[in-house]
Amino acid sequence: MLTSDIVIIGAGAVGSAIARELSKYKLDVIVVEKSEDVGGDASKSNSAIIHTGFDATPGTLESKLVVGANPMYDKLTRDLDIPFERVGAIVTAVTEEEYDLLPGIQEKAYKNGVYDVEYLTPSEVLKMEPEINPEIKGGLYIPRESIIDPFIYVVALAENAVTNGVKFLLSTKVIDIVVEEGKVKKVITDKGEISTKYVINAAGLYCDEIAEMVNLCDFKVHPRKGQFFILDRAANYNINQIILPVPTKHTKGKLISPTVHGNVLIGPTAEDQDDKKDKSVTTAGMEEVLNGVTKLVPKISSKDAITEYAGLRPTRTPEGYYVSASKEVEGYIGVTGIRSTGLTSSVALGVYVANILNEVGLKLVKKSDFNPIRKGIPKIANMDKEEQAKLIKENPKYGRIICRCESITEGEIVDAINSPIGAKSLDAVKRRLRPGMGRCQGGFCTPRVIEILSRELNVPYESIRKNNEGSNIIVKKNR
Ligand SMILES: Cc1cc2nc3c(=O)[nH]c(=O)nc-3n(C[C@H](O)[C@H](O)[C@H](O)COP(=O)(O)OP(=O)(O)OC[C@H]3O[C@@H](n4cnc5c(N)ncnc54)[C@H](O)[C@@H]3O)c2cc1C
């Protein structure tokens, strides 16, 4: 049986940020994740925006954590080598009715302590974003709304936590929690038991099932699906900031956002459903997204969509962030209701949860050798010719292009496989480096990546999977 001070359930943005924060202290921390890789569920299929909290409900824990988290990203993304850009956002009023709602949004921003929100005239908006609907009535500029690579964000948090002593158990599902005399004693997984004093429930969509294991489930979580479409870089939309609609009582609406990799992202829908596994993308979803975004930027066309995905927001009833240590079960900390802003708030949640642990009596003793720095895999395509030649001379694998769309070399893929949380599946390589995310969507590079994974992991081709169990790609050799 493994032993630990703290078990964190879930290696999404929230669990990984908590793990990295706790790795600053002299503690034995184990993260248990049922998937084959870190990255989470909602954490890898969202709008990739680091919010300011301008539109959060004032006075809520969510508002406090999102507003507090935003300024933390400058240092964090530098330390952990995470693609991040402070591009800013424009709330775009296309009709007079929408324009009349802008003062209310600005007032909310002030109540949340977001003071750098400014009015823009139609000509100011069009100067900043010439593709916006010329009928525009005006807008609000929110300069610190930012974009991030959500995959690298979680991988980087987890890798840095590992460097600082945290253990990640992947492909390991928590199936029960043992409580004796009102105290957490053990976490039972499908691979064995872990004795622990504290358990942190950061299981996203499944946090209600974890809470049930300690008989503390007075809430339900259901998925709210959001469908997205990614537009081809070659389409040259010239979108420089996040373009937001004016939210209504019912929906935040569909946004248009540049990504840190130079594409344009459009979406999401907001569809309540019961099935926690249904991530299907539909024609109706595409039409709904297009209807929304073409009101803001009329020239956006479905012809330019190169791929699509859907994410499931973990919607809690009753709604809102609920983050606390249980009074009934000593050692249990629930982090639930992290629905639509958890990518942003995760880094602040790490500190918040560490503070809760301190309040319930866990001594947090700082390590003198905590290393806050993590280096990502060097991107050969971004180097100048001299640097490339030097690296290729040292290791010719950096000269063999595997993904033509994104210019990714064999050397980089080998680095991803051998990184602190090694990539073991096609999706894990894709999330770290982007082979398969370009125009051909993996048509050319997939067999090559399978070959490299098979060789580096010393396993047959047939055992290489897209992601979790059952997603093998090659069934058998036929010639
Ligand atoms: C459509 C959409 C758009 C969004 N846009 C944004 C945005 O732009 N900005 C923003 O800040 N936020 C955004 N969000 C919200 C954000 O993505 C989530 O709040 C955040 O990712 C939640 O992170 P998490 O770690 O709590 O959950 P998850 O990422 O879901 O991670 C939970 C993890 O727990 C694991 N797990 C579950 N049960 C078990 C078990 N029994 N044993 C072991 N492991 C288990 C899961 O496998 C998963 O990896 C958006 C969400 C969606 C869906």
Side-chain angles (χ1 to χ4, degrees):
M1 180 160 67
L2 291 168
T3 54
S4 70
D5 297 311
I6 302 167
V7 169
I8 300 170
I9 306 172
V14 173
S16 301
I18 296 170
R20 196 233 178 198
E21 181 62 28
L22 294 178
S23 76
K24 295 176 180 168
Y25 302 98
K26 291 182 181 168
L27 295 167
D28 282 326
V29 180
I30 297 180
V31 181
V32 185
E33 169 54 56
K34 67 178 177 174
S35 296
E36 97 299 353
D37 193 15
V38 299
D41 220 333
S43 305
K44 60 176 186 272
S45 36
N46 49 54
S47 314
I49 296 173
I50 297 304
H51 298 293
T52 52
F54 77 96
D55 58 348
T57 305
T60 58
L61 178 59
E62 179 176 15
S63 149
K64 188 163 110 172
L65 289 168
V66 173
V67 172
N70 184 288
M72 297 168 82
Y73 278 88
D74 298 292
K75 180 171 185 322
L76 184 80
T77 55
R78 263 196 318 272
D79 281 355
L80 300 185
D81 204 2
I82 301 166
F84 170 73
E85 290 175 39
R86 289 218 177 270
V87 289
I90 303 174
V91 178
T92 314
V94 179
T95 62
E96 294 293 350
E97 295 77 55
E98 287 175 359
Y99 188 74
D100 291 344
L101 294 171
L102 295 184
I105 299 173
Q106 194 177 33
E107 197 188 323
K108 205 175 197 187
Y110 286 169
K111 282 189 184 154
N112 285 320
V114 181
Y115 297 116
D116 49 356
V117 173
E118 283 172 37
Y119 263 93
L120 296 174
T121 62
S123 61
E124 283 171 328
V125 173
L126 291 169
K127 202 165 161 204
M128 289 163 92
E129 291 294 345
E131 312 276 19
I132 283 186
N133 187 343
E135 301 292 310
I136 177 147
K137 302 293 177 289
L140 284 179
Y141 180 49
I142 302 117
R144 286 177 297 111
E145 289 281 306
S146 310
I147 53 174
I148 197 164
D149 181 327
F151 312 127
I152 298 294
Y153 172 58
V154 182
V155 167
L157 287 167
E159 283 187 358
N160 190 240
V162 168
T163 304
N164 289 296
V166 174
K167 191 181 236 142
F168 280 71
L169 305 179
L170 301 179
S171 300
T172 305
K173 183 175 178 179
V174 170
I175 50 177
D176 206 357
I177 299 170
V178 176
V179 177
E180 284 170 11
E181 292 163 6
K183 290 184 189 167
V184 166
K185 286 284 172 214
K186 297 194 266 200
V187 169
I188 320 265
T189 78
D190 57 356
K191 301 274 166 66
E193 299 182 359
I194 311 165
S195 99
T196 189
K197 295 187 203 81
Y198 296 91
V199 62
I200 299 171
N201 176 1
L205 207 47
Y206 296 88
C207 64
D208 49 353
E209 293 176 19
I210 301 292
E212 264 164 29
M213 294 175 190
V214 288
N215 283 326
L216 285 176
C217 197
D218 53 358
F219 61 96
K220 273 277 154 229
V221 178
H222 78 266
R224 184 168 295 158
K225 183 159 71 180
Q227 301 188 38
F228 291 96
F229 301 87
I230 297 185
L231 308 183
D232 193 353
R233 270 198 294 246
N236 273 332
Y237 275 110
N238 189 23
I239 301 289
N240 305 300
Q241 27 256 293
I242 305 155
I243 300 173
L244 301 168
V246 174
T248 66
K249 257 190 205 144
H250 308 290
T251 167
K252 278 187 158 187
K254 319 288 179 284
L255 58 83
I256 303 159
S257 176
T259 73
V260 289
H261 300 291
N263 299 84
V264 169
L265 178 69
I266 57 173
T269 55
E271 303 159 67
D272 285 313
Q273 61 185 40
D274 294 323
D275 189 344
K276 290 189 176 182
K277 292 203 163 72
D278 175 5
K279 291 191 187 169
S280 55
V281 178
T282 60
T283 313
M286 171 97 172
E287 275 164 14
E288 190 188 321
V289 168
L290 271 176
N291 270 339
V293 297
T294 49
K295 283 184 192 132
L296 307 175
V297 173
K299 80 179 238 195
I300 288 181
S301 158
S302 59
K303 276 199 326 285
D304 297 318
I306 55 167
T307 190
E308 65 283 312
Y309 62 91
L312 303 178
R313 303 170 184 87
T315 310
R316 187 190 193 280
T317 314
E319 284 210 28
Y321 276 34
Y322 286 76
V323 185
S324 61
S326 163
K327 291 194 176 69
E328 291 86 6
V329 176
E330 205 179 306
Y332 172 83
I333 288 133
V335 186
T336 69
I338 317 300
R339 192 197 70 195
S340 304
T341 47
L343 191 67
T344 307
S345 63
S346 52
V347 62
L349 271 164
V351 181
Y352 192 81
V353 169
N355 197 48
I356 290 178
L357 285 164
N358 189 34
E359 278 169 10
V360 295
L362 179 69
K363 226 170 166 198
L364 297 180
V365 182
K366 280 220 161 193
K367 284 176 188 163
S368 56
D369 57 352
F370 171 73
N371 176 4
I373 306 299
R374 170 254 177 204
K375 271 273 139 246
I377 299 164
K379 186 119 184 54
I380 311 299
N382 294 347
M383 294 178 179
D384 62 33
K385 291 263 175 287
E386 227 169 273
E387 282 175 301
Q388 287 177 341
K390 186 169 171 269
L391 213 61
I392 294 167
K393 200 167 167 202
E394 281 165 22
N395 180 354
K397 290 193 174 84
Y398 290 114
R400 186 176 172 229
I401 298 277
I402 300 296
C403 169
R404 293 176 184 175
C405 304
E406 299 288 315
S407 303
I408 297 151
T409 66
E410 178 174 3
E412 291 162 86
I413 295 172
V414 171
D415 287 346
I417 296 168
N418 297 324
S419 59
I421 297 188
K424 293 193 173 49
S425 65
L426 271 176
D427 280 357
V429 173
K430 180 170 161 179
R431 285 197 285 271
R432 284 161 180 77
L433 297 170
R434 297 177 53 76
M437 287 204 193
R439 206 167 196 202
C440 91
Q441 290 290 297
F444 175 77
C445 63
T446 298
R448 305 281 95 78
V449 179
I450 292 177
E451 250 169 39
I452 299 167
L453 275 162
S454 156
R455 185 191 69 212
E456 293 297 313
L457 299 172
N458 200 19
V459 293
Y461 291 166
E462 294 87 318
S463 66
I464 301 300
R465 300 191 306 224
K466 177 167 163 45
N467 42 54
N468 291 310
E469 214 169 309
S471 62
N472 305 54
I473 298 189
I474 296 175
V475 182
K476 62 175 180 149
K477 201 168 178 173
N478 63 359
R479 67 187 160 100

